[in-house]
Amino acid sequence: MGSALFTGVTGLLVHQRRLDVIANNIANVNTTGFRGGRAQFQDLFSQTLEGARGPAAGFGGTNPVQVGLGVSLGSIDTDFTQAALITTGVASDLAIQGSGFFILSDGQILTYTRDGAFAVNANGELVDPSTGLFVQGFLADPTGAIDPNQPIQNIVIPLGGVSIVQATTNTVFTGNLSADAAIGDTAVLSMRVFDSLGTARDLTLTFTKSATTNEWDWTITTTDPDISSITGSGTVTFDTDGSVLAGGTGTVTVNFAAGIPAAPTTPLVFTADFTQLTQLAGDTDATFFSQDGYPRGVLESFAFGRDGVISGVFTNGLTQVLGQIAMASFPNEGGLVRVGSNQFQESVNSGIAQIGIPNTGGRGTVSGGVLETSNVDLSREFSNLIVTQRGFQANARTITAADTLLQETVNLIR
């Protein structure tokens, strides 16, 4: 009877622990990126009253006689199954589909999380706003290239603090040069290009009907005082069907005067593309169609791709890669240690973090403007709550019954 009392006590203790786990799960049912826990029981040492005996000399043998001494808490496991995703529309919110963790750092210690509710701080750094820890990743070089073999570092998204320009490298002309034009007739086209500083430069392209059949000579001039000279001229030859036969492209070099702060020190070189021009009967309507240069633009927004690449969008319409989110995976996720604030740390049983980019090495993909919810299933937790409550009550009844028997034993002497 004495052992029954203590056995019942062990049952009360472990069911209390299981209730603690269930209560924590329910409390975090709306915690972003939360991973639920699960309490597992195992029996304690058993007292052997009689050992097993094997068959011998007409004797069939007997099994061992043992009495269990109770139950203990075997483990509290973490459930890392995927949770549902919800759309927030906030560009800095991230969610992982599949395995892996975001990496946070305070400059010395790395922690890992599934909670992607991030924000950009005053210095343009991507952080976890609840803890101030920095989100880790790989930064792009000035050309937008990313080297995932470099050490991870703080992700920086300097909204409003980064400018970008693109010098003109190609211009396109379209329309018609009249086949009825007389020798010496001209077509004057205004065009605007951008130098390496993002300054607009207004040029004039003049087509002149040549004395040679089906040929138009072209030259480029300007009145811009910053431009010292322009090298660029040629002849466009048309076929009998009006399409360009020869001279479809030409190279233009714009040289800037020395000593002018607003002018680049290197020439502007671009291609003039005339292949879309025609020489047909009718009016001359050739126009300056397009160019690929842009004036100065400021970073105004950003977006994340499924591979974690951060693309910055500038006010001039250009986009440029700014960096890429880093992710970590572990040989044994269950071995991670919870450290609060939706974060985990390595342990001796989790293995070393395998750091890389999303969608590689078994790591999942990243979705921007989305958050992952808690993976706690309320219906399952309520069912476990009922089972745990009944288990606690049953063990309490065992103690009560053992106490009653002891009381009866004490009463034998009366």
Side-chain angles (χ1 to χ4, degrees), residues 2-18 41-45 68-74 391-392 395-396 398-399:
S3 63
L5 279 171
F6 291 108
T7 298
V9 170
T10 64
L12 291 181
L13 292 175
V14 297
H15 280 82
Q16 178 61 52
R17 286 285 176 253
R18 188 182 189 194
F41 297 167
Q42 63 183 17
D43 65 336
L44 286 172
F45 182 77
L69 299 181
V71 63
S72 68
L73 184 64
F392 188 93
N395 280 277
T398 298
I399 295 174

Side-chain angles (χ1 to χ4, degrees), residues 4 23 33 182 242 290 328 334 391:
S290 66

Side-chain angles (χ1 to χ4, degrees), residues 289-300:
F289 181 68
S290 66
Q291 58 85 39
D292 59 359
Y294 287 91
R296 173 181 176 270
V298 178
L299 182 63
E300 65 174 350

Side-chain angles (χ1 to χ4, degrees), residues 123-195:
N123 296 326
E125 296 159 315
L126 191 65
V127 299
D128 177 2
S130 63
T131 63
L133 297 179
F134 299 100
V135 182
Q136 300 297 288
F138 307 98
L139 295 182
D141 64 19
T143 66
I146 297 174
D147 181 7
N149 296 315
Q150 65 180 327
I152 56 175
Q153 53 189 309
N154 299 346
I155 289 292
V156 179
I157 307 174
L159 292 173
V162 172
S163 300
I164 187 174
V165 299
Q166 180 170 302
T168 299
T169 60
N170 189 61
T171 58
V172 178
F173 299 85
T174 188
N176 184 59
L177 295 172
S178 177
D180 303 324
I183 296 173
D185 284 354
T186 61
V188 180
L189 283 64
S190 297
M191 56 187 296
R192 172 168 288 185
V193 296
F194 295 91
D195 63 25

Side-chain angles (χ1 to χ4, degrees), residues 123 132 192 196 223 330 342:
N123 296 326
R192 172 168 288 185
S196 59
T223 58
F330 295 88
N342 293 344

Side-chain angles (χ1 to χ4, degrees), residues 4 34 56 92-94 111 129 132-133 144 202-203 207 220-223 228 264 273 293 303 311 347 361 366 414:
F34 179 76
S92 57
D93 284 346
L94 297 175
T111 57
L133 297 179
D202 292 321
L203 309 178
F207 285 106
I220 293 182
T221 58
T222 185
T223 58
S228 60
D273 184 350
S311 299
S347 75
V366 172
R414 295 181 181 178

